[in-house]
Amino acid sequence: MDDTLALKAHWLAAIDDLLRKHVPQCEVWAYGSRVSGQNHDASDLDLVVRAPALKPVGSPLNSLREALRDSNVPILVQVHDWARLPESFHREIEQRHVVIHKG
């Protein structure tokens, strides 16, 4: 796993504030181009939320998505529920991710 994330510090701080508010007990991983180094300025940020016991996150995920859309973070943030992703995605994400919130 790489531990670098191509994201401005103030954007990450704003996202972390929303994660603390909406999914405080969940672990959140970033993955995709902003972790692999294949990003550009307009690349989205891919996040996966891992609830305790890897159960579905439920309604807090919808609230988080809405809060991210309404935030001042000027890039698209895609948020997925670990419990609802196929196993093949799990393996791919596990290979290269950055933990951005420890829940």
Side-chain angles (χ1 to χ4, degrees):
M1 178 182 74
D2 191 348
D3 64 352
T4 59
L5 178 62
L7 192 67
K8 293 183 179 188
H10 62 281
W11 295 353
L12 182 56
I15 291 168
D16 188 54
D17 286 344
L18 294 174
L19 296 175
R20 288 181 208 203
K21 179 178 180 183
H22 295 279
V23 290
Q25 275 74 36
C26 297
E27 186 171 82
V28 181
W29 294 0
Y31 67 96
S33 65
R34 288 191 176 268
V35 172
S36 69
Q38 297 176 342
N39 63 294
H40 52 80
D41 288 343
S43 291
D44 67 347
L45 173 63
D46 297 301
L47 301 178
V48 64
V49 179
R50 296 167 43 100
L54 302 178
K55 300 285 185 190
V57 178
S59 62
L61 194 61
N62 293 329
S63 298
L64 173 61
R65 287 177 177 140
E66 185 176 324
L68 285 164
R69 276 193 303 272
D70 294 343
S71 76
N72 291 330
V73 177
I75 59 168
L76 177 63
V77 181
Q78 299 277 351
V79 184
H80 303 281
D81 186 339
W82 180 265
R84 300 197 183 280
L85 291 175
E87 284 293 320
S88 59
F89 280 30
H90 290 183
R91 289 189 298 275
E92 188 175 319
I93 294 167
E94 287 170 336
Q95 289 178 11
R96 189 170 226 170
H97 65 276
V98 173
V99 177
I100 64 166
H101 183 74
K102 291 204 177 201

